[in-house]
Every structure is written in structure tokens, then in C-alpha cells.
């Protein structure tokens, strides 16, 4: 292990990075709360400010991927498609197989200038997650409970509100509804068989309602659907903990652009179009499994320095007083102060670990595959 790799593995450095993210996030969330007074008078100004505030938080995670771990992201697509990146409103369909699939999506968003304005159809439980859910709330993210009877009004109103969004947005959909596991896949394919649908090998059966509704509500605003299929070299199974520890991964993303004019307006036909798309995604994953790459030309977008500069700004602002305070505590020799500071460090490390746990496959809290949940749905 080299010196740099050893330093990245040190828990104290990881804790300091977590401290910067959490405290800066609380500052950003408070600032977002203050901007709410703008909404009744100038909605578009409120949105532009919150887009930049959210960028300042999300880009710290992108910095970990790009600069701390040095993870490579290669696009398999044509130049004509790349030329449209960041210049149109789009819906992104991404497979949900990995703990850091969202982070790979965010790094592409950042490199093409749409990280702050990126959107997602998120599960309602995430609204309660500190920093993540709170930032999304101010960004007008659409939250759903994945029960259409309860979600209908919320989803329609939330999506319609985004029709006049002033910044180009990439609206992410995980059409599978939950992250892929073998157990979920077995249940999903049983459903596919019962409905007479072709079975998938690398994906869960897509839930079409979210896609058809999003497309219907944002028709006239979004210009295209980007189908993105993600995989990692050498069958790597990346984790956010691995990224924080400085482990490098190699991500490959196949990107296909479909103009909205080519997608049927009829809800049933649109659903069939999505099922066909997932059969094609499955074929792409099969190709990757055999060849170790996707078909087509490759493009490696350059990482931008803004994510690093943003993190260094927050680190300079927040770590200097923390280090000075820690020094004063230990110099004082007061057992009470030292014990109190140690308790603070323990609480901080637990909080950071809990935030990381939100991304972990075995802690996502999904009810997919639960017998009672299946009855409800």
C-alpha cells in the first residue's frame, strides 16, 4: 500500500471529510430554508439559488468519486448524443444494481453542468433522511410511497410544477422501483411469467406507471429520454464506504438517446415501449458480461476542478476552527472537556456511518419481496 492510499484509509481523515459534509450540509439546509421567503415573490430566483446551493453539497460527494477515489467513468455513446448533454430537459432511465449508481449518475451530471438541477422520483422514506431528504425537499423533488392510490395527486402536482423549471434538468427514474438483489429478481420474474412478459436476466421487471406518468406530465418540457446502463470493470461491486476509503473503480455507462416524439403517447403502448427498452438493456448487460465492454464508440468526459475547489472551500472554512478547538481542549488538560470532545467524535462518526448506510444494498429498507407488501401492491 502506497503512502497516499494509506492516508486515504485513515479513519480520522474519513471522519474529517464526513464532518465537512455534514456541517456544510446543515449550513446549506438552513440557507435553503431562508430562501423560502422568495417563493411567493420570485419563484425562478428561488430555484436558481437552490440549484447552486444543492450543487455545493452534492459536488462534495462527486469530489470523493472523482478526486479522492479517482474512479474512472467511460461513456459508450456517440458524439451527437454527447453534444446535447446539458442543453435540454431529459428523463434518465438508469439500472439500479449498485450502491453508488446514483453517484456515477451525478458525476456525469456535474461534468455537463446539470448536477444542481438534477431531479429524481424518490421514495418517501428519503424525505426523513437529514441533509439528503432536506436538500431534495427544497429542490422540489417528487417523493412517492410507491402506492399509486396514495401517490397519484402528489406525483401529478409535483411533476406539473416542474414544467417551467428555469435550469436544464435531468430527471432520474429507477423504473425497477428498488435496487436489484437475487431475491427480488426471483420474485420479479415470477410476476413477469404470470403476466406473460419476457423474463430479464440482469434487471427487475420495470414498473411502468412512474415512467408513463412522468413522461405525460413533462411532455413539452423534456426533449428526450436517455437510457443509461451502468456496469463496472472486472465485476467490481463498488460501495460508498469503498469510495470514502479511496478505492478506485472503473465505471462504464452505455447511453442511448430517444427523442420523446419516438415514444408512444398512449399509456399502454408507452408501457410496452418501456418493457422493450428493458429487454434491450438486458441484452446490453449480456454483451458486457461476455465482452467486458458495451458496443459502440467511447467518450471519457474530463472531470472539472469545481468539485475539488468547492470541497476545499468548505474544508478551510470548517476544519480550521475545529482543529483549533480540539487543540485548546487537549491543552487545557480538563478531563471533562476531553471526554466531551471524544463523545462528540463518536457521535459524529456514528452519524456519518448512518448516512452511508442509506446507500447500502442490505439496508435500503425496501419491502420488495415481502409477502404482505406484495398483497398491498
Amino acid at each position: 500500500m502506497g503512502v497516499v492510499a494509506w492516508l486515504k484509509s485513515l479513519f480520522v481523515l474519513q471522519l474529517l471529510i464526513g464532518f465537512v459534509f455534514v456541517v456544510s450540509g446543515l449550513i446549506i439546509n438552513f440557507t435553503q430554508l431562508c430562501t423560502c421567503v422568495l417563493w411567493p415573490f420570485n419563484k425562478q430566483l428561488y430555484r436558481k439559488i437552490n440549484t447552486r446551493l444543492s450543487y455545493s453539497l452534492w459536488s462534495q460527494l462527486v469530489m470523493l468519486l472523482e478526486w479522492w477515489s479517482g474512479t474512472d467513468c467511460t461513456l459508450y455513446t456517440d458524439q451527437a448524443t454527447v453534444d446535447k448533454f446539458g442543453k435540454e430537459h431529459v428523463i434518465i432511465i438508469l439500472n439500479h444494481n449498485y450502491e453508488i449508481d446514483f453517484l456515477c449518475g451525478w458525476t456525469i451530471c456535474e461534468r455537463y453542468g446539470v448536477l444542481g438541477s438534477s431531479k429524481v422520483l424518490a421514495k418517501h422514506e428519503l424525505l426523513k433522511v437529514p441533509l439528503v431528504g432536506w436538500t431534495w425537499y427544497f429542490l422540489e423533488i417528487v417523493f412517492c410511497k410507491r402506492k399509486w392510490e396514495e401517490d397519484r395527486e402528489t406525483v401529478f402536482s409535483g411533476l406539473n410544477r416542474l414544467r417551467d423549471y428555469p435550469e436544464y434538468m435531468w430527471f432520474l427514474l429507477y423504473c425497477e422501483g428498488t435496487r436489484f438483489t437475487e431475491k427480488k429478481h426471483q420474485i420479479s420474474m415470477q410476476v413477469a411469467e404470470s403476466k406473460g412478459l419476457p423474463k430479464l436476466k440482469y434487471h427487475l421487471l420495470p414498473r411502468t406507471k412512474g415512467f408513463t406518468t412522468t413522461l405525460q406530465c413533462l411532455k413539452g418540457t423534456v426533449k428526450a429520454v436517455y437510457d443509461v446502463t451502468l456496469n463496472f470493470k472486472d465485476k467490481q461491486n463498488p460501495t460508498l464506504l469503498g469510495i470514502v476509503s479511496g478505492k478506485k473503480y472503473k465505471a462504464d455507462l452505455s447511453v442511448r438517446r430517444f427523442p420523446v416524439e419516438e415514444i408512444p403517447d398512449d399509456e399502454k403502448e408507452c408501457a410496452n415501449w418501456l418493457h422493450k427498452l428493458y429487454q434491450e438493456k438486458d441484452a446490453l448487460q449480456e454483451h458486457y458480461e461476455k465482452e467486458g465492454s458495451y458496443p459502440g464508440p467511447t467518450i471519457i468526459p474530463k472531470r472539472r476542478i469545481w468539485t475539488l475547489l468547492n470541497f476545499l472551500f468548505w474544508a478551510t472554512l470548517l476544519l480550521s476552527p475545529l482543529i483549533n478547538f480540539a487543540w485548546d481542549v487537549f491543552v487545557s488538560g480538563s478531563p471533562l472537556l476531553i471526554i466531551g470532545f471524544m463523545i462528540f467524535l463518536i457521535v459524529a462518526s456514528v452519524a456519518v456511518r448512518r448516512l452511508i448506510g442509506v446507500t447500502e444494498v442490505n439496508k435500503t429498507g425496501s419491502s420488495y419481496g415481502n409477502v404482505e407488501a406484495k398483497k398491498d401492491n
Side-chain angles (χ1 to χ4, degrees):
M1 180 185 290
V3 175
V4 175
W6 175 75
L7 287 172
K8 289 180 179 179
S9 69
L10 291 178
F11 175 73
V12 65
L13 282 184
Q14 297 170 12
L15 185 59
L16 289 175
I17 291 173
F19 172 82
V20 172
F21 178 75
V22 170
V23 177
S24 67
L26 292 174
I27 294 172
I28 288 169
N29 285 162
F30 177 75
T31 307
Q32 288 180 304
L33 180 62
C34 294
T35 65
C36 289
V37 298
L38 294 173
W39 181 268
F41 309 104
N42 195 328
K43 181 173 66 174
Q44 302 297 38
L45 177 60
Y46 165 89
R47 286 169 161 172
K48 289 179 179 180
I49 292 173
N50 276 277
T51 292
R52 282 143 187 83
L53 288 171
S54 65
Y55 175 88
S56 190
L57 185 60
W58 301 150
S59 66
Q60 294 182 50
L61 297 178
V62 173
M63 183 282 300
L64 286 177
L65 184 81
E66 294 182 338
W67 296 91
W68 185 256
S69 82
T71 292
D72 296 324
C73 290
T74 301
L75 301 180
Y76 288 77
T77 190
D78 57 86
Q79 189 61 48
T81 296
V82 171
D83 289 342
K84 295 182 181 295
F85 285 0
K87 300 175 183 177
E88 58 183 356
H89 296 293
V90 299
I91 294 172
I92 306 288
I93 296 177
L94 178 63
N95 57 309
H96 204 8
N97 296 68
Y98 303 98
E99 289 184 11
I100 66 164
D101 45 32
F102 76 97
L103 198 48
C104 292
W106 273 358
T107 193
I108 301 304
C109 286
E110 200 288 322
R111 295 182 191 193
Y112 292 100
V114 291
L115 176 59
S117 57
S118 61
K119 308 294 180 189
V120 65
L121 188 61
K123 58 185 180 182
H124 193 266
E125 293 92 331
L126 291 175
L127 180 58
K128 303 173 185 177
V129 177
L131 306 184
V132 176
W134 300 346
T135 304
W136 275 351
Y137 175 80
F138 293 113
L139 274 178
E140 303 170 75
I141 294 301
V142 182
F143 294 94
C144 62
K145 298 178 180 178
R146 293 183 286 189
K147 294 182 180 179
W148 184 240
E149 296 75 16
E150 299 179 29
D151 290 332
R152 182 190 299 271
E153 185 176 343
T154 303
V155 170
F156 270 105
S157 62
L159 290 171
N160 285 325
R161 192 167 56 241
L162 295 174
R163 291 177 63 89
D164 64 342
Y165 208 78
E167 310 271 342
Y168 287 124
M169 63 176 175
W170 285 12
F171 195 104
L172 172 62
L173 289 177
Y174 288 118
C175 292
E176 294 163 87
T178 185
R179 191 174 277 121
F180 183 100
T181 66
E182 287 301 328
K183 179 182 177 182
K184 295 173 187 176
H185 181 253
Q186 291 173 9
I187 295 168
S188 182
M189 292 308 97
Q190 290 172 7
V191 174
E193 186 174 5
S194 68
K195 293 184 176 182
L197 295 169
K199 291 187 177 182
L200 303 172
K201 186 176 180 181
Y202 302 99
H203 300 85
L204 305 179
L205 195 67
R207 298 179 176 183
T208 60
K209 180 63 72 175
F211 173 71
T212 58
T213 301
T214 302
L215 190 60
Q216 175 189 346
C217 291
L218 296 181
K219 208 85 177 255
T221 299
V222 299
K223 300 300 180 184
V225 171
Y226 294 172
D227 170 48
V228 182
T229 308
L230 169 68
N231 215 320
F232 288 85
K233 293 289 189 188
D234 305 319
K235 298 184 178 180
Q236 294 173 311
N237 188 23
T239 64
L240 190 53
L241 270 178
I243 294 294
V244 172
S245 300
K247 187 173 181 180
K248 182 174 182 177
Y249 302 103
K250 295 183 178 180
D252 288 335
L253 300 96
S254 168
V255 183
R256 300 184 297 162
R257 181 182 184 274
F258 298 91
V260 292
E261 295 82 10
E262 297 179 3
I263 303 172
D265 291 324
D266 179 76
E267 183 176 354
K268 185 176 181 180
E269 292 181 7
C270 186
N272 291 335
W273 182 90
L274 184 65
H275 282 300
K276 183 175 181 293
L277 181 78
Y278 266 79
Q279 293 165 34
E280 295 171 358
K281 287 173 77 71
D282 227 45
L284 282 171
Q285 291 290 51
E286 182 69 24
H287 185 281
Y288 194 95
E289 191 74 15
K290 294 178 179 178
E291 305 295 333
S293 63
Y294 293 115
T298 60
I299 295 174
I300 302 177
K302 293 182 179 179
R303 62 184 181 181
R304 306 194 304 171
I305 199 170
W306 304 117
T307 58
L308 182 60
L309 292 178
N310 175 75
F311 177 79
L312 291 175
F313 163 76
W314 283 112
T316 303
L317 182 68
L318 298 174
L319 291 183
S320 296
L322 176 68
I323 293 171
N324 288 335
F325 176 72
W327 175 256
D328 291 341
V329 166
F330 285 101
V331 168
S332 71
S334 169
L336 203 59
L337 283 176
I338 294 174
I339 292 172
F341 186 71
M342 295 301 293
I343 292 174
F344 165 76
L345 291 179
I346 292 172
V347 171
S349 65
V350 171
V352 171
R353 186 63 185 82
R354 290 288 294 274
L355 278 175
I356 291 175
V358 172
T359 70
E360 294 179 348
V361 171
N362 60 347
K363 296 182 181 179
T364 55
S366 172
S367 62
Y368 198 104
N370 179 278
V371 174
E372 296 304 317
K374 285 196 292 178
K375 290 179 181 177
D376 292 340
N377 294 324

